[in-house]
Amino acid sequence: MSSFEENLNRLEQLTADIKRSDISLEDALKDFEEGIKLASGMGKQLDEIEGKVQILMNEPEPQEGSNPPLFDEFSDQGEVNGTRK
């Protein structure tokens, strides 16, 4: 699978080719067809990227200096697993 950047470069190349004055109608149509397919695939790639970004943006931010507790809330009261020592 080509990277998004590679696809974008190819799409730009196809666009430049279509704009040439010496291109045949048949070649322009082939380039246009390839460009449409590339653009469609790139749209899907962007949708996937957007979904990942949305997931990352909706994750709760970790509190500064917070570490997960090593012991449960009873550990400093002399209890182990909910029972007194």
Side-chain angles (χ1 to χ4, degrees):
M1 177 186 230
S2 297
S3 74
F4 186 85
E5 291 80 9
E6 291 170 338
N7 288 338
L8 183 59
N9 288 333
R10 178 66 181 147
L11 189 58
E12 289 172 346
Q13 180 184 16
L14 291 169
T15 302
D17 287 347
I18 290 172
K19 291 180 182 179
R20 288 188 359 240
S21 61
D22 63 337
I23 191 170
S24 70
L25 181 59
E26 186 178 303
D27 288 341
L29 184 58
K30 286 179 184 177
D31 287 352
F32 181 76
E33 199 172 351
E34 183 181 346
I36 292 296
K37 289 177 184 177
L38 273 174
S40 176
M42 291 168 68
K44 291 175 184 176
Q45 285 178 307
L46 285 175
D47 288 343
E48 290 174 16
I49 292 167
E50 182 181 11
K52 290 177 183 179
V53 168
Q54 287 296 326
I55 289 170
L56 292 172
M57 294 296 291
N58 290 325
E59 284 184 356
E61 293 184 31
Q63 298 297 321
E64 213 174 295
S66 69
N67 293 322
L70 298 176
F71 305 102
D72 64 18
E73 63 187 50
F74 301 110
S75 63
D76 62 331
Q77 298 175 3
E79 294 183 7
V80 176
N81 297 327
T83 58
R84 288 261 176 219
K85 289 184 185 178

